[in-house]
Amino acid sequence: MPHSLLAFPHESSLPIWLVNDATWPGILEKFPEITRAFAKAQGFEAKVGTHCLLPDTDGNILGVAFGLDGKDAKRIDPFLPAKLVTLLPDGVYRFETQAPNPTLATLAWILGAYSFDRYRKRPTKSVRLVPPEGVNVDEVSRIADAITTSRDLINTPTSDLGPDGIEAAARKLAEKHGAAFTTIVGDDLLKQNFPMIHAVGRASATPPRLIDFAWGKEGAPRVTLVGKGVAFDTGGLDIKPAASMLMMRKDMGGSAATLALADMIMGANLPVRLRVLIPAVENSISANAFRPGDILQSRKGITVEIGNTDAEGRLILGDALALADEENPDLIVDFATLTGAARVALGPELPAFFTDDDALALEISRFGDKENDPVWRMPLWQSYAAQLDSKFADINNTGGPMAGSVTAALFLSRFVTAAKAHVHFDIFAWNNATKPGRPEGAEVQAARLMYALIKDRYAS
């Protein structure tokens, strides 16, 4: 079903001319004199990201001119036309000149109009777009819905989305697509050999859990998604400073990205056997919280010394990845808001990814560029594995003061030994400022590119 921000073609839609230094003069000269005079009076020069509402001879809106690129632009952002969503008055619009990527421009139009209004109602606008010819409206709508639903999850504070809320969201998605759904909760995690998930989450009033659902035909290529679902992270006994806790509701961003990707895969009915694993916990503080210096057993049989209780995400992922690995899947993809080190290295807009599969890495980079879902490969530099050495256990959960995202990825790689391929995404899951198609607040990173990759790999 087409998204509500899209409209079918009709005569009343207003044209948007996407222009640059070279094309604007030729388009301008075709307008009535009053329109040309108005544009000149406004000083519109087709600079990147600028717009001008153009009047007709009766003073009504004739259309919109939008600066798409200029002589100094090194790259045209495919999402850039979506900047208009928040600038234009209510109405129905169409691209009169072709966007560089019509599909991405349409998707960004929907994503750019997103707002989180669960707790504060905002004035609503109705700025709708007639999709350009050739755009698969159903697929764009499905992808947009998956992303906006997961943005809502990340934006929701832990008071309304604890580990049980993550479970409820996953269950709702599984039911939507007819997937088989199970959970392991509380002390049952110990009985079924998920000791690290239990240890991290046991101090919370809401019990920890492992969410598990499967979809698709047996015998199809196995794709397993694993998402970090830390509903809130105090840091545990190695407590975070107050300022660092302000955004910790987004520490379940990995689980949200996983659910978004799963929704895309199932909605497109891709020919894979999909499994989704989400360890959902709250890293809290109480008398039974796990401690620095504790040595934890793991599902993989690896013993882990706790160097810092604030490095909890890799612990719960370790148990979940070990379970995923037991099926020897064709591909394991994990998403996690794992390290501040990745943000120091690459900033908030460019998630790091790690894999020892060079062919897969090239595909990821290619689809990241193609889908305007950027990521950057970081090395699984084996020499740094020594930073995880422990005198008392097989491995420590923290490394040294440098290369923190690399040592975290190396830690996770210890729990994947049988899968044909594994990629780990260290995401930020947040936009610090509004950009076209990416409003300030929650963001789903790397899911769109992995959907395109999986579709290309298994459905082509």
Side-chain angles (χ1 to χ4, degrees):
M1 178 180 294
H3 196 279
S4 61
L5 285 164
L6 302 180
F8 291 104
H10 55 73
E11 293 180 359
S12 62
S13 62
L14 294 169
I16 298 171
W17 290 276
L18 303 175
V19 297
N20 58 31
D21 297 335
T23 61
W24 174 234
I27 291 174
L28 180 62
E29 70 179 14
K30 297 177 182 178
F31 295 146
E33 182 178 350
I34 191 172
T35 307
R36 298 197 303 270
F38 182 85
K40 291 176 181 178
Q42 292 295 308
F44 181 73
E45 297 179 351
K47 293 181 180 179
V48 178
T50 61
H51 81 292
C52 184
L53 290 170
L54 302 170
D56 63 17
T57 54
D58 296 322
N60 299 313
I61 298 176
L62 174 69
V64 185
F66 182 76
L68 189 61
D69 69 314
K71 60 184 178 182
D72 297 326
K74 292 185 168 70
R75 175 183 179 271
I76 302 174
D77 180 0
F79 278 9
L80 187 59
K83 184 177 181 180
L84 289 168
V85 175
T86 58
L87 300 174
L88 295 179
D90 289 357
V92 177
Y93 299 85
R94 69 181 187 276
F95 294 130
E96 188 68 12
T97 52
Q98 185 168 329
N101 188 315
T103 295
L104 290 182
T106 304
L107 174 64
W109 190 277
I110 302 172
L111 297 181
Y114 170 85
S115 66
F116 183 65
D117 58 2
R118 177 170 176 174
Y119 303 97
R120 187 180 70 177
K121 299 302 178 184
R122 294 174 172 82
T124 58
K125 294 182 66 176
S126 179
V127 181
R128 302 167 70 199
L129 178 71
V130 176
E133 186 176 350
V135 171
N136 185 335
V137 174
D138 289 339
E139 173 147 290
V140 167
S141 298
R142 285 191 295 98
I143 292 171
D145 286 342
I147 292 171
T148 54
T149 298
S150 286
R151 282 177 174 176
D152 282 347
L153 294 177
I154 299 169
N155 275 323
T156 301
T158 312
S159 52
D160 288 321
L161 193 84
D164 51 349
I166 298 172
E167 177 187 340
R171 186 185 298 274
K172 181 177 180 181
L173 179 63
E175 290 174 351
K176 171 184 172 182
H177 294 288
F181 186 92
T182 60
T183 53
I184 304 169
V185 181
D187 289 344
D188 285 344
L189 289 164
L190 295 176
K191 296 175 184 177
Q192 298 194 42
N193 194 23
F194 298 99
M196 293 200 296
I197 298 174
H198 183 272
V200 172
R202 71 191 183 202
S204 172
T206 305
R209 62 206 63 213
L210 177 63
I211 299 159
D212 184 352
F213 65 86
W215 171 92
K217 294 180 180 179
E218 290 284 358
R222 291 185 176 275
V223 174
T224 301
L225 312 180
V226 181
K228 175 187 170 184
V230 178
F232 193 85
D233 182 18
T234 64
L237 292 175
D238 288 308
I239 191 167
K240 292 178 182 290
S244 298
M245 279 195 244
L246 288 175
M247 291 176 61
M248 280 301 101
R249 62 182 174 183
K250 79 172 186 66
D251 212 22
M252 45 66 66
S255 64
T258 296
L259 292 176
L261 176 54
D263 196 5
M264 295 176 204
I265 291 171
M266 293 186 291
N269 199 29
L270 296 188
V272 298
R273 176 64 176 176
L274 178 69
R275 190 177 190 185
V276 175
L277 298 170
I278 297 174
V281 304
E282 181 181 0
N283 187 20
S284 194
I285 298 173
S286 69
N288 68 336
F290 77 119
R291 297 161 289 261
D294 281 357
I295 295 178
L296 304 181
Q297 298 293 325
S298 71
R299 182 176 185 84
K300 196 76 168 180
I302 300 168
T303 55
V304 180
E305 181 181 7
I306 304 305
N308 193 303
T309 61
D310 196 19
E312 83 299 331
R314 65 198 70 183
L315 300 174
I316 64 173
L317 287 172
D319 271 354
L321 287 169
L323 174 62
D325 198 51
E326 289 166 14
E327 289 189 326
N328 190 23
D330 294 86
L331 176 63
I332 296 176
V333 184
D334 81 72
F335 299 90
T337 51
L338 205 62
T339 69
R343 311 290 80 76
V344 171
L346 299 174
E349 299 176 17
L350 196 58
F353 77 92
F354 299 81
T355 181
D356 59 8
D357 186 323
D358 290 340
L360 176 60
L362 287 173
E363 283 189 85
I364 290 170
S365 296
R366 178 167 68 90
F367 280 103
D369 289 341
K370 183 175 180 288
E371 301 299 324
N372 200 32
D373 196 7
V375 292
W376 196 265
R377 188 184 188 184
M378 295 283 277
L380 282 166
W381 192 251
Q382 292 299 323
S383 176
Y384 293 163
Q387 296 183 36
L388 296 168
D389 287 348
S390 166
K391 294 181 180 179
F392 305 104
D394 295 323
I395 195 171
N396 199 297
N397 78 323
T398 55
M402 293 186 284
S405 65
V406 178
T407 55
L410 288 167
F411 180 94
L412 296 181
S413 70
R414 293 285 297 268
F415 296 86
V416 180
T417 57
K420 295 181 177 65
H422 168 224
V423 57
H424 157 60
F425 288 97
D426 192 335
I427 65 176
F428 189 55
W430 198 262
N431 298 316
N432 285 332
T434 294
K435 293 189 176 181
R438 297 180 169 96
E440 182 179 354
E443 189 54 280
V444 175
Q445 296 175 306
R448 288 191 299 107
L449 82 85
M450 284 308 303
Y451 167 67
L453 186 155
I454 292 166
K455 182 180 179 181
D456 180 76
R457 177 178 280 199
Y458 298 112
S460 297

